[in-house]
Amino acid sequence: YELHPDYTTLFTEAAESSSEIIFGVRFEGPGLQEGSSFGGHWDTPLEAMNGTLDLAREFYCIDGLPTNLSPLYEESSVNTVESPDPLRYQNRDPRLKATLFTPGMQWGNNTSNYGGAAASLSTLYVMKYFNPALNWSTSWDAGQDFYVIRYAEVLLSLAEALVEKGGYNYSEVASLVNAVRERAKMPTVEAVEGNGLNQEQLRNLIRRERRVETAFEGLRLFDLYRWEELESAAERINQEAADNNFSYEYRNFRGQMEYVWPIPLAEVNANKQLEQHELWK
């Protein structure tokens, strides 16, 4: 296995046989009723699934620095659904616009549609897997495969495992992250963060890299469970909705029970020797 040379073309039907794809769910379409719907949209120019500003901020500028530190970052004084700001999405990690449809981007011969019944809640839409050649009906029966495991995620999982285990070789961990970054045309760890990161700094670096690399691939929720960061993620999104008057669904964090699976009720009923976990009683 090896990384596909261009991240921006990876999530297309033409790249489904790429040597980066370790395991994918196959779809065929349109017109065969065997297609995928996760790239579906309701209208042209575009009305589709929404992304969040919180995710967009995680995509650094092309100098490898976060937006609050990079001299390349610009923003206007206005950013609402009615008047979205395209400036803040310039000079950013190329994966941003391969993942999110941002204000000012072209969809075929048009730009994003912020009106209508299915308008964006956040000024952002999900771009990954979308095919601009498909209309609103064929996009719900598309031939795009869903990638369950790909090589880039394996590299980041190995980097995470090494750091969590401890006793790691710094250069080995950095090289795993660098392979993913360099494919995306982003600077290396050594060039931006240097050679002196401690375990906690490396952990945070890998987690952010994983988030931007694998957004909308079905991994994020399970990552948050594994890291026990679900509460902070829910708080950020709820606060983003409140600050911007976005009509997101409220994220409800239920405490430590989120991190423990209950014994199924049918099993408890069938065997009275089983006792339900305290958090789920």
Side-chain angles (χ1 to χ4, degrees), residues 54-68 92-96 156 160 177 180-181 184 186-189 192-193 200-215 220 223-224 226-227 229 236:
D54 182 68
L55 170 61
R57 279 191 292 272
E58 293 287 81
F59 291 88
Y60 286 0
C61 292
I62 55 175
D63 57 7
L65 296 174
T67 56
N68 63 325
R92 302 285 290 278
D93 184 330
R95 289 173 292 187
L96 170 60
L156 294 176
E160 179 183 339
V177 178
V180 176
R181 283 189 177 184
M186 289 293 288
T188 64
V189 173
V192 180
E193 289 91 356
E200 181 65 17
Q201 290 170 323
L202 278 176
R203 176 183 293 126
N204 291 334
L205 178 151
I206 292 166
R207 291 180 181 184
R208 188 203 66 83
E209 197 70 37
R210 184 177 176 88
R211 186 181 186 191
V212 299
E213 174 70 24
T214 66
R220 176 66 174 167
D223 288 345
L224 293 171
R226 184 171 72 259
W227 303 331
E229 290 187 352
R236 287 197 306 274

Side-chain angles (χ1 to χ4, degrees), residues 41-43 46-50 113-121 124-125:
H41 59 93
W42 290 283
D43 201 356
L46 180 63
E47 288 183 354
M49 307 300 179
N50 294 273
N113 180 7
Y114 290 95
S120 174
L121 305 179
L124 299 166
Y125 295 109

Side-chain angles (χ1 to χ4, degrees), residues 76 78-89 102-104 114 123:
S76 71
V78 177
N79 186 55
T80 65
V81 173
E82 294 77 17
S83 301
D85 172 24
L87 288 178
R88 65 186 65 202
Y89 303 113
T102 67
Y114 290 95
T123 75

